Amino acid sequence: MVKEIDDHTNRGHWRITTRNEMRQHGYHHKPIMGVWSFKRKCNPFGEITKYKARLCCHGGQTIKGVHYDETFSPVVSWSTVRLMLTLSEVYGWHARQIDFVLAFPQADVKTDIYMHVPEKFEVKHHKLRLNEFAPHPSKQEHIVKLIKNVYGLADASKTWHDHIKSGLLEFGFEQSKVDPCLFIKGNVLFILYVDDAVCLTPDKSNADQLIADLNKKGYILTDEGPLSAYLGIQVE
């Protein structure tokens, strides 16, 4: 939990403020709650590889027309995934797996959103500190103003998709008319499932260049190397 909060803080995902300052800026809606999500990540064999704690906004407390307008975000179809992976095996293309780290918060929020301090935390010396006996978030004067697109917002997935899409289009990729999560640039194919991506190309240097471009543009990612498993599918 502490690592999650530190990651958000160090990457500038929010700014600590107060309820009084929020009202002075003309914002008269209640701050939304933050909720914790705990999960285990497994490999294709069902073995636990990682434990994760993720702080999310309570999307059910967001208001349409105030915090968001549209929410729909596409994901790559299984037909596209199977076809692309099959073609890469048949023609011997290089397949590189890319994982975007804390993907959603890499995009900016599109409107003013205030959130309660996360449960079990309180502000001390202008920083969020873990305190098992901290007052309930609704009772604390300090809140945070979101700068980045935190998980849980009603339009979080769409905001992230729009963000990565704009970057790929800027790099010269074209969005497929058949599958909106397939992007094509010459002989380079890019498949996106939320924050898990695969780059397929006959020339490994093309994948290296794409990853370099993404890093230069400010996207935070992990180069997972040659594809071994994707969305539960083991690739050999």
Side-chain angles (χ1 to χ4, degrees), residues 50 73 113-114 160 171 194 207-208 228:
K50 185 186 296 185
S73 176
I113 302 177
Y114 292 86
W160 157 247
F171 296 151
V194 190
D208 294 335
S228 59

Side-chain angles (χ1 to χ4, degrees), residues 7 19 71 79 105 111 127 149 156 171 194 218:
D7 284 343
R19 298 175 189 274
T71 60
S79 297
T111 185
K127 290 187 177 181
N149 177 47
F171 296 151
V194 190

Side-chain angles (χ1 to χ4, degrees), residues 59-214:
Q61 295 180 350
T62 55
I63 305 170
K64 185 174 184 179
V66 175
H67 301 115
Y68 67 94
D69 292 313
E70 298 181 23
T71 60
F72 175 76
S73 176
V75 293
V76 68
S77 72
W78 278 109
S79 297
T80 299
V81 173
R82 288 193 294 266
L83 177 60
M84 294 301 104
L85 294 183
T86 299
L87 290 176
S88 71
E89 286 297 310
V90 170
Y91 293 105
W93 280 25
H94 175 73
R96 182 80 66 85
Q97 188 166 6
I98 300 170
D99 178 37
F100 290 93
V101 182
L102 276 175
F104 286 14
Q106 294 188 37
D108 295 334
V109 293
K110 299 176 180 178
T111 185
D112 289 341
I113 302 177
Y114 292 86
M115 185 179 77
H116 288 292
V117 168
E119 192 172 359
K120 303 298 182 182
F121 283 81
E122 64 179 347
V123 176
K124 284 188 176 181
H125 307 296
H126 307 291
K127 290 187 177 181
L128 286 169
R129 305 290 188 184
L130 179 65
N131 181 357
E132 289 291 327
F133 305 101
H136 188 272
S138 64
K139 303 296 182 182
Q140 297 188 42
E141 172 60 20
H142 285 96
I143 55 176
V144 297
K145 181 178 182 181
L146 300 185
I147 297 173
K148 295 293 185 176
N149 177 47
V150 175
Y151 288 93
L153 293 172
D155 63 342
S157 182
K158 174 176 170 46
T159 301
W160 157 247
H161 181 81
D162 291 345
H163 180 61
I164 184 63
K165 172 185 171 182
S166 67
L168 292 170
L169 294 179
E170 187 176 323
F171 296 151
F173 281 83
E174 293 184 2
Q175 188 176 29
S176 168
K177 296 180 180 179
V178 177
D179 191 324
C181 292
L182 170 63
F183 297 84
I184 305 167
K185 180 182 179 182
N187 59 3
V188 181
L189 306 176
F190 187 88
I191 302 172
L192 181 68
Y193 187 93
V194 190
D195 56 359
D196 291 318
V198 175
C199 176
L200 303 166
T201 175
D203 189 344
K204 177 179 176 294
S205 64
N206 291 332
D208 294 335
Q209 184 60 54
L210 174 59
I211 290 174
D213 289 341
L214 288 168

